[in-house]
């Protein structure tokens, strides 16, 4: 089996979608790109999330030819590949129809910045791209045309595309957009929220991306310590 650990990671990432209530039935999909071969592993089409296994993931090249796997790849494969071909630094792509974010997408509305969490994670409004038909790469095109520097974009009448330098970052963006959309929705039911000014958005985003969390060295030290302890 080609790219076993990539396939295992992909099963984990796909199964995080139902765990986080981002998908229903077989909707939604994750793909990740292998940095060495450039191949992309993607969820098979129409297989339930609980039935996913490393064996039934599909490995394709950037042109969409199947390199390894018995199943048909996700019907959104061409759009995922369009994104990988045009964004070399992106190695994880996630598509969902998560409810609150998709409610904004249905209306063709981008989500302005009302929340400090959105300043931190997204660094600006969550854009909404045009309507595109399923099947070919039109959805990928519409997503990239609208996404700008954001890690996530809504697509009119459809759903969410989240991207990241790796699968975990794309997953975080897919989870965060739903959380943000839900809170904004709730706020709009009790009043009219006020946007955070763009200068403040940039300041908070910079602080979060440069100062928040642990230094990489700290994690290394922690791992070494825990190895010694065990
Ligand atoms: Zn879809």
């Amino acid at each position: 089996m080609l790219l076993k650990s990539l396939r295992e990671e992909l099963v984990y990432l796909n199964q995080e979608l139902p765990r986080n209530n981002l998908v229903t039935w077989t909707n939604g999909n994750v793909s990740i790109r292998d940095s060495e071969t450039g191949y992309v592993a993607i969820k098979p089409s129409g297989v339930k999330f609980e039935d996913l296994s490393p064996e039934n993931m599909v490995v394709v090249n950037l042109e969409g030819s199947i390199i390894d796997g018995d199943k048909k790849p996700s019907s959104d494969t061409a759009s995922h590949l369009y994104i990988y071909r045009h964004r070399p630094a992106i190695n994880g792509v996630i598509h969902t129809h998560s409810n609150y974010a998709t409610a904004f997408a249905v209306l063709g509305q981008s989500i302005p910045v009302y929340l400090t969490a959105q300043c931190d994670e997204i660094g600006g409004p969550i854009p909404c791209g045009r309507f595109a038909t399923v099947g070919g790469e039109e959805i990928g095109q519409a997503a990239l045309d609208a996404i700008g520097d954001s890690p996530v974009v809504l697509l009119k009448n459809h759903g969410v595309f989240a991207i990241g330098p790796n699968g975990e970052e794309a997953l975080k963006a897919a989870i965060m957009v739903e959380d943000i959309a839900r809170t904004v929705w709730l706020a709009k039911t009790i009043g009219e929220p006020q946007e955070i000014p763009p200068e403040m958005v940039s300041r908070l985003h910079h602080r979060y991306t440069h100062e928040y969390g642990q230094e990489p060295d700290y994690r290394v030290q922690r791992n070494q310590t825990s190895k010694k302890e065990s």
Side-chain angles (χ1 to χ4, degrees):
M1 184 170 53
L2 196 65
L3 302 173
K4 186 165 179 283
S5 63
L6 192 79
R7 286 161 175 273
E8 285 166 354
E9 186 190 348
L10 186 60
V11 171
Y12 156 76
L13 290 166
N14 270 291
Q15 290 180 336
E16 281 295 291
L17 302 186
R19 272 184 219 124
N20 286 281
N21 291 321
L22 300 179
V23 291
T24 180
W25 199 242
T26 61
N27 275 331
N29 42 66
V30 183
S31 70
I32 41 178
R33 166 154 56 183
D34 177 50
S35 51
E36 267 175 45
T37 59
Y39 293 151
V40 171
I42 190 160
K43 178 174 169 271
S45 179
V47 177
K48 285 189 193 166
F49 285 90
E50 66 261 36
D51 296 332
L52 296 179
S53 68
E55 292 73 24
N56 62 25
M57 297 296 109
V58 188
V59 177
V60 297
N61 66 16
L62 285 183
E63 285 67 50
S65 306
I66 296 178
I67 301 296
D68 191 29
D70 308 326
K71 296 260 187 272
K72 227 169 79 182
S74 159
S75 54
D76 292 312
T77 300
S79 287
H80 284 242
L81 296 178
Y82 181 90
I83 293 172
Y84 288 119
R85 285 199 307 274
H86 290 84
R87 296 286 292 265
I90 293 303
N91 294 304
V93 176
I94 298 186
H95 172 51
T96 80
H97 301 160
S98 66
N99 297 130
Y100 286 89
T102 301
F104 284 88
V106 165
L107 299 175
Q109 285 182 9
S110 60
I111 305 177
V113 189
Y114 299 122
L115 287 162
T116 56
Q118 188 170 340
C119 302
D120 293 347
E121 300 289 350
I122 313 290
I126 296 161
C128 184
R130 64 181 180 270
F131 177 85
T133 49
V134 182
E137 59 184 33
E138 291 85 353
I139 287 178
Q141 252 168 335
L144 283 196
D145 285 351
I147 199 166
D149 294 331
S150 169
V152 64
V153 63
L154 310 176
L155 286 186
K156 192 164 189 297
N157 298 104
H158 187 167
V160 174
F161 267 83
I163 61 176
N166 54 52
E168 189 77 15
E169 288 291 318
L171 176 65
K172 187 170 90 165
I175 292 172
M176 289 301 170
V177 68
E178 181 63 2
D179 190 55
I180 290 165
R182 184 164 188 262
T183 305
V184 170
W185 174 283
L186 289 169
K188 279 172 170 281
T189 63
I190 52 171
E192 193 45 50
Q194 286 182 344
E195 286 184 46
I196 299 175
E199 321 79 74
M200 182 59 77
V201 175
S202 329
R203 224 165 87 193
L204 291 177
H205 186 63
H206 185 272
R207 185 202 62 89
Y208 182 75
T209 49
H210 290 76
E211 293 165 30
Y212 176 81
Q214 308 300 333
E215 297 294 333
D217 284 345
Y218 175 83
R219 279 194 215 123
V220 173
Q221 284 165 9
R222 287 276 299 179
N223 288 342
Q224 283 166 351
T225 313
S226 55
K227 263 182 214 152
K228 271 183 223 148
E229 281 165 357
S230 59

